[in-house]
Amino acid sequence: MDEIQSQSDHYRSSSSSASSPASRVPAFNFFYLRKPGSLGQPISFEDSPEWEDTDADVRVEEGGGDSINAATTSVSPSLSKLNSGSLPSPHLPEGAAVARKIAGASVAWKDLTVTIGGERKYSDNVVKGSNGYALPGTMTVIMGPAKSGKSTLLRAIAGRLPPAAKMYGEIFVNGAKMHMPYGSYGLVDLETTLIGSLTVREYLYYSAVLQLPGFFSQKKSVVEEAIHAMSLGDFANKLIGGHCFMKGLPSGERRRVAIARELVMRPQILFIDEPLYHLDSVSALLMMVTLKKLTSTGCTLIFTLNQSSTEVFGLFDRICLLSNGNTLFFGETLACLQDDNGDFSAVNMDTAVAICTLEATYKSSADAAAVETMIMRLTEKEGPLLKSKGNASNATRIAVLTWRSLLIMSREFKYYWLRLILYMLLTLCIGTIFSGLGHSLSSVVTRVAAIFVFVSFTSLLSIAGVPVLMKEIKIYASEESNQHSGALAFLFGQLLSSIPFLFLISISSSLVFYFLIGLRDEFSLLMYFVLNFFMCLLVNEGLMLAVVSLWKNIFQSVLTLVTIHAVLMLAAGYFRIRSELPRPVWTHPLSYIAFHTYSIQGLLENEYLGVNFAIGQVRSISGFQALHSAYDISPRSNAKWENVLVLFLMAVGYRILVFVLLHFYARKNVSLHRLFRGKHDSTA
């Protein structure tokens, strides 16, 4: 912490020439406005792009790792007043490669309007006729108060608006109509779901393997570049979420990890929604200095901010100021703060009056005309089209997701191993209650009750895994939004990784229950018991996954699952024999969709078919006849395998339902939730 504080003091002292004029800004109701005469002074065109591909490497100078490399484009005179000092960069290993020099990409948007029906009280236009541009090797920030349209404009430029939004206007990339293929750009959401049980290096490595084609060994260098670019070297081997004896990464480092995940693709354009979200002033400054260094590789950086300190403000190249969807200013950062002589001028003005004044004067100013001229220059000649870098195959993604999930399971004690312990304790309780039943005819009814309680209660206990599935759905939504994963790969990976865990639960619980109850001592019957219970857990896992995908909320999912289990237990044929249930609703369809029914039937058929009970010394009855009044089973010898087949088909059916939900419904809901979450948080 002392090192960070010393770096912060160095930052402030090195940028004192910039902070001294702005330090006169009062805390409330004061706005920097240029004097009326300055509106005739256009912004600078000095940093217009040149289409040159380069593959040079940018490295930190030995012994001089405390200076930021210059951007690929020239810096405007006004901005150089803030950047004249040598700003220190965060600590990086000597001689480490920061990032490979990449060909820049310019972005321009013209008359951009975004409409989202019903989301605003007075107008559906979230963004209204916005004009602007971003150049290679520069930082362009979209600023404004809450509900000003910052995130919507950012997503519109990135081509990532939700289905409910409609966009009007034009977007150009390198002078051509918008074309940003996979891998040429990255988008960092306001809140990215990270995997707390992985280290930073592991998380980025798995992300790289999911995104990039090629061999696994080739991804390591890309991951190391991303770690160094975001100054995560000291945290590379630490768990993101920590564990019971160690704290996880601070919020600033978590944000860096989220950005580094997109850097493994080496994007030419990077969009970030609120990079300083939940960061303190020191962490915010460190973050912005790191991003400033990132632009020195040629990357075009566009991001949103709600507010910034003086030191952070001085690092921006260009600013787009929004209020209620209207553009109040676009141009070089300091151009909106200076008068004709290049000095700063503070005007004491009410907030509403200041916004109205800026909105009225900007549209007719020379700055607005200069932006339009610059857009014309950027679009009059087409530059090189951005090329797709390819992506990993579905087979690779399934393998990676499976292995990653297995690694997570081995480390998540409270979500996996604690559940295994709870299953063992529950089975032990049930087994001891129903122990010592014997094999007489009088024990049949009690044994049926024991099997019903075992299947029903263990299935009900599976609801404890809802938080795990909720986390998996959030991780999938975060990765799928950036095309790192797909519904099919996620489902196969989740299924393959859950099979060992469910099998471990089934075999451990079955062994305890089987021998405490005293079921028939035959190995083949025991193996069927394990298989039947495993299929039951697999069906239940699919049901939970479908409910979680539908609600995406822990409380609603648990409430729904408890209700479903209660209804299915009533229709399972124990409280009243299946053939005697009321036909509407309870027999058709509930008793046929209750997986408890098929599991219990199979276990009872496994235990009692082929068994005879003596009545007196001369007469005997079959196991089927003995069960006739207690539970409805089939007399066919292969009926128990038919029940296992039905369970298997139900497991497949539930996962097909999950695929439909993820592909058609969950994706839309997650996009809308993510878009407006920041606005909700700001008003809550």
Side-chain angles (χ1 to χ4, degrees), residues 1 9 59 65 69 85 114 134 143 174 180 193 255 263 277-278 326 362 369 391 393 445 503 511 529 545 551 571 578:
M1 186 65 192
D9 295 338
R59 296 184 177 271
N69 294 333
V114 180
M143 292 188 69
N174 280 352
M180 288 190 291
T193 302
R255 204 73 177 114
L263 291 183
Y277 187 58
H278 284 169
N326 296 301
Y362 174 71
N391 50 20
S393 64
V445 176
F503 185 76
L511 287 173
F529 192 100
L545 198 58
W551 290 118
R578 187 179 181 185

Side-chain angles (χ1 to χ4, degrees), residues 14 68 80 119 125 143 229 345 385 402 460 464 475 608 644 667:
S14 62
I68 299 179
S80 63
E119 295 297 337
N125 291 338
M143 292 188 69
S345 176
L385 294 178
T402 302
L460 195 62
I475 293 172
Y608 286 107
V644 170
R667 182 176 179 180

Side-chain angles (χ1 to χ4, degrees), residues 160 183 185-189 192 204 207 211 226 256-267 269-271 478-479 481-482 484:
R160 298 282 287 277
Y185 77 102
L187 173 63
V188 182
D189 287 321
T192 303
L204 295 179
S207 297
Q211 298 178 58
R256 291 173 183 268
V257 173
I259 297 173
R261 188 186 73 168
E262 299 303 316
L263 291 183
V264 297
M265 287 294 289
R266 292 172 176 162
I269 308 170
L270 183 61
F271 302 91
S478 176
E479 293 179 339
S481 64
N482 285 350
H484 300 170

